[in-house]
Amino acid sequence: MICSGCGASAPALKTVRWRKGERLFGLCDGCWETVARYVWIVVGPGPAHGTCRSCGHWRSLRELSETSGGGRRDAPSGICSGCSR
């Protein structure tokens, strides 16, 4: 996903909408902090969590490396930082 505020790219961002609006957009943590009181965090277009192929725990996509599709419940899967050490 690409942040609508600064253009940063990440596997998962907060999907938000203005409290008095309908349009959905993604924001990184830094951009979200500046407008947090004016937006709602809503369900986004894609998954934000996946499973570790090694330990099986659910993790944020930001914490998984070597991410691919087809994990448990069709969620993305990868290797968490704990298992990659």
Side-chain angles (χ1 to χ4, degrees):
M1 292 184 73
I2 297 176
C3 176
S4 294
C6 68
S9 178
L13 296 174
K14 289 173 178 62
T15 301
V16 301
R17 71 172 176 83
W18 295 108
R19 291 188 181 193
K20 294 186 179 189
E22 295 297 320
R23 188 177 72 90
L24 302 179
F25 53 100
L27 292 177
C28 68
D29 291 342
C31 291
W32 172 79
E33 288 173 358
T34 63
V35 297
R37 65 179 134 175
Y38 304 111
V39 297
W40 295 110
I41 297 176
V42 296
V43 176
H49 292 82
T51 56
C52 175
R53 286 191 293 268
S54 183
C55 68
H57 287 104
W58 286 93
R59 302 282 187 221
S60 166
L61 288 180
R62 297 176 187 168
E63 298 175 36
L64 297 174
S65 62
E66 305 173 28
T67 307
S68 64
R72 194 168 30 168
R73 296 184 188 167
D74 288 330
S77 65
I79 304 295
C80 73
S81 57
C83 292
S84 65
R85 291 184 214 156

